Each structure stands twice: as structure tokens, then as C-alpha cells.
Amino acid sequence: MTWNNATEYLSVGDLTSTQVASDLARAGSCIREGGLVVFPTETVYGLGGDATQADSARRIYAAKGRPSDNPLIIHIAEPADAEPYAHTCDTYYRLARAFMPGPLTVILPRKETIPTETTGGLETVAVRCPSHPVARALISAAGVPIAAPSANLSGKPSPTCAAHVKEDMDGRVDIILDGGDSEIGLESTIVSIDGEDRVTLLRPGAITYDALCMVVSEVQIADAVTSQLKEGERVLSPGMKYRHYAPDAPVILLDGEPDTVVTYLQKEQCQKRCAILCYEEEIPHLSQAADASLLFPVGSRDDLSAQAHTLFTLLRHADRAKPDVIYAHLPPQSGLGLALYNRMIRAAAHTIVRL
Ligand code: TXA
Ligand code: MG
């Protein structure tokens, strides 16, 4: 397939402006007519098409270079808007009352209105109500549910600003809506609900495991959230089996006491061109031995929200510096840390050095 679309860039920062209202109406028509529109959400940018058209799903897979068995999330404005497309249940509405609109995706049995092209051939469909006002305005302008994966080329970090979308999607989509930086910076939490009402966490995000447990009594964590899949193992979510968020340089995660990690990094800096996703507290200790432009501060050690917000941007920046290796800390597995841990072990292809 050749890409020769002239992508249109529209700034949608001010939702009170009449120009923005008319741009969003046009972007909504574009989706209805089978086109592709990139839009901001509170998690990451999405690459949207009409979830009810098989051809739109095919175009999304082609634009991302994504295998067509990796299903798409459908974005709706209100929890009850899932009714025409999915078989809902009490547990869905309990989760919806607590967390929607917001960064939660729920997997439910599909209705015929959603083609299997959108669901990667599965009989289930992933449903999400984003809270970002531009995403919500676009969904209502389109008048159809919007199928949207993250707007990166398959295998690249998810984009958290329009500049990153441009790097990956220029010429491959019709319109890119620029709504500034994504607030959260990591993709939504994904849970599935099975026939017996059991809830399983498939992808951790800003809605944490503990928050889910406050609403439903038992939540299982899928093995693939924290561990490497074994050869031939069945996956609950197809996205888990693909290499993800991977910069070109190898990523190595370090696990150890703060002083030990700093000492290890100082030694490595003398021997290799090391890009380091470091804590702010470490900058004075790491800026003497090496080029400070290879330090990428992710935030302070205890500020997991800041780390979530900056992670994907810094992976892109670190990779651009063409280092021999990218070092980062192994995140904790509690709270928002579990989402960081899940993304980092994928970026690092499970390479962890225990010090
Ligand atoms: O925050 C987000 O969720 C962003 C924004 C744009 O909404 N979207 C996003 O989509 O991250 P994507 O396609 O990059 O990741 C969706 C994940 C994939 O790993 C996919 O395999 C899984 O959700 N998924 C989608 N539908 C599924 C289904 N029916 N069953 C199991 N997993 C599913
Ligand atoms: Mg993605």
C-alpha cells in the first residue's frame, strides 16, 4: 500500500471557538465516511475510524502496520451507548458508575453491529468512554462508535502529543487533531468480564488494581501483566503477545538499592554510550561522568504520575540519541507502578539486572 494522503492538522485546544466546533464537525463526517482521524484522549492519542465499518478497521490496521488479529477498542460517549454493540451486565455498569468517563476499557461479548474486523476476529468487544473533551466531542460529531488503537506505528511507544503522532502517521491518516499533551501518558486499564461475572485485569493503567477491588469483590490479574508468555501460551488479550513500546536500542531495567544502582550506572557511563531514564534525585550523581544530554529525568522517585506522564516521550527521545543501551529503573508493582512495570518490562523485552 502506498501512502499519499495529505494529512490535515487541526488545533483543537479551544473548544469554545466556532472554528474548532466546525473542524470537529468535519472530522466527525470524515469518520462516518470511512476516513481516519487521530484525536487526543486523557491516556494517549487514538487513531480513529468508524467501529461499525469493516473497511475502516482494515484502514486502521494498514495505517499502523498492525496485525489484523489484534482487536480495536471502541470509544463511546456514555456507558449506556454500549447497548447496541455489546452484551452488557450489572458488573459493567458497576464499573462504569465508578470509572467512566475515564481511563477504563471493559471487554464484553460483541453484538453483530460490530464487525469481526474491528474485534480482530473475536466474539468480544472492548468498550471505553474517554473523559477528554475533544474525544467526547468527536464521538458525538461522528454519531458512531469510534474504533481507535493508540496512534503509533505498531511497535513504537504510544504517542502522547501531536508531534509524536506526526512522526508516525503523517500521510497515513486524513486528519490529526492536536489537543496538546495527554494528561495520563499510559493507555487505559483493560478488564474483561466473563460469563460467571469474574473480572480479570488484562492491562494495568491509571485505574489501579486497588481501585477496581473497591468496586468489584474479586479481580484476577492475568499472568501476562507481569510475566513473560511461555511458548504457545494462550493469551487473553492478543496485544499481550506482540513486542511493544520498543525503542531501537536495547532497554535494560535495574532493580536494586538506590546507591547500588547509581554506582552501577556511573561505571557503565564510563564504558558505553548510556541513555538513562533517571530519577531527578540522581541527576547530580550521574551528570559528572557523562554527557548530560543522555540523562532523561522521568520525575522524582516517588512521583509515579509524573513517571507515567513522561515515560513514552522519554523512550522516544532516548532512542533518538542513538545510545548503545537505554537504562531505566524497574518500577514497583503496586498502585500506578503496576502500569509502569507492565510497559517497562515489554520495552525491555524482560531484561532485568538485579543488583
Ligand atoms: O487508552 C487507550 O486504551 C488507548 C486510547 C486511544 O483509547 N487505546 C489503546 O488501544 O491503547 P490499543 O489498540 O493500542 O490497545 C488495545 C489493547 C490491545 O492490546 C488489544 O489486544 C486489546 O486492547 N483488546 C482490544 N479488544 C480486545 C478484546 N475483545 N479482547 C481482548 N483484548 C482486546
Ligand atoms: Mg497500542
Side-chain angles (χ1 to χ4, degrees):
M1 190 151 191
T2 54
W3 301 101
N4 52 12
N5 290 354
T7 299
E8 209 182 331
Y9 291 83
L10 301 171
S11 170
V12 287
D14 178 10
L15 278 172
T16 60
S17 118
T18 48
Q19 180 61 49
V20 170
S22 97
D23 286 346
L24 282 169
R26 197 151 53 80
S29 316
C30 174
I31 286 194
R32 242 185 350 264
E33 287 156 16
L36 300 185
V37 176
V38 173
F39 61 98
T41 83
E42 70 279 18
T43 57
V44 300
Y45 274 71
L47 163 53
D50 181 350
T52 66
Q53 293 186 43
D55 269 350
S56 296
R58 287 191 199 101
R59 289 195 66 203
I60 291 173
Y61 289 119
K64 266 185 81 80
R66 176 172 182 157
S68 59
D69 69 344
N70 192 357
L72 309 174
I73 295 174
I74 73 163
H75 296 68
I76 53 180
E78 301 299 332
D81 295 346
E83 290 298 339
Y85 311 108
H87 295 281
T88 61
C89 58
D90 287 350
T91 305
Y92 167 72
Y93 280 107
R94 206 160 347 121
L95 288 166
R97 274 193 299 278
F99 304 118
M100 291 182 189
L104 179 70
T105 297
V106 181
I107 294 174
L108 297 167
R110 159 187 92 89
K111 288 186 179 167
E112 298 279 303
T113 41
I114 296 295
T116 51
E117 282 77 3
T118 300
T119 66
L122 297 178
E123 287 307 321
T124 50
V125 61
V127 174
R128 151 157 154 74
C129 296
S131 60
H132 195 292
V134 171
R136 299 177 65 73
L138 181 67
I139 294 164
S140 70
V144 289
I146 298 181
S150 48
N152 51 290
L153 286 174
S154 196
K156 292 277 171 203
S158 296
T160 55
C161 65
H164 297 164
V165 174
K166 185 169 192 232
E167 280 171 22
D168 287 9
M169 289 297 152
D170 190 44
R172 293 174 169 253
V173 297
D174 299 295
I175 297 175
I176 293 176
L177 300 176
D178 182 351
D181 277 5
S182 305
E183 184 193 331
I184 296 171
L186 296 179
E187 309 86 343
S188 61
T189 300
I190 303 182
V191 297
S192 66
I193 307 174
D194 73 8
E196 268 106 62
D197 239 19
R198 280 180 305 227
V199 174
T200 305
L201 176 62
L202 302 182
R203 182 175 74 183
I207 306 294
T208 61
Y209 171 77
D210 292 338
L212 292 167
C213 291
M214 309 262 270
V215 177
V216 286
S217 54
E218 213 188 318
V219 181
Q220 311 271 355
I221 302 182
D223 285 347
V225 167
T226 52
S227 349
Q228 204 160 6
L229 285 172
K230 294 174 200 73
E231 191 76 30
E233 189 175 342
R234 194 178 75 91
V235 286
L236 297 172
S237 178
M240 289 179 177
K241 72 184 177 205
Y242 294 108
R243 186 160 177 256
H244 247 196
Y245 321 115
D248 294 329
V251 178
I252 298 177
L253 302 180
L254 302 176
D255 182 26
E257 292 301 317
D259 289 351
T260 323
V261 170
V262 164
T263 309
Y264 178 88
L265 285 170
Q266 286 169 334
K267 250 190 232 147
E268 287 295 290
Q269 283 178 311
C270 301
Q271 289 161 16
K272 291 180 204 142
R273 189 173 157 77
C274 304
I276 304 174
L277 272 56
C278 64
Y279 297 135
E280 264 149 27
E281 297 85 331
E282 295 171 321
I283 297 174
H285 309 290
L286 297 174
S287 51
Q288 287 140 19
D291 182 353
S293 70
L294 288 174
L295 296 182
F296 299 90
V298 292
S300 73
R301 184 182 299 278
D302 297 326
D303 191 348
L304 296 176
S305 301
Q307 293 168 32
H309 184 75
T310 54
L311 176 65
F312 288 147
T313 299
L314 296 185
L315 280 176
R316 278 180 189 254
H317 290 183
D319 207 27
R320 216 176 288 150
K322 300 262 174 268
D324 299 324
V325 57
I326 300 174
Y327 282 111
H329 293 274
L330 183 71
Q333 292 186 44
S334 53
L336 184 58
L338 185 64
L340 284 160
Y341 183 95
N342 170 265
R343 306 313 190 273
M344 288 307 286
I345 56 172
R346 278 174 175 66
H350 296 268
T351 313
I352 301 170
V353 174
R354 313 250 178 216
L355 296 169

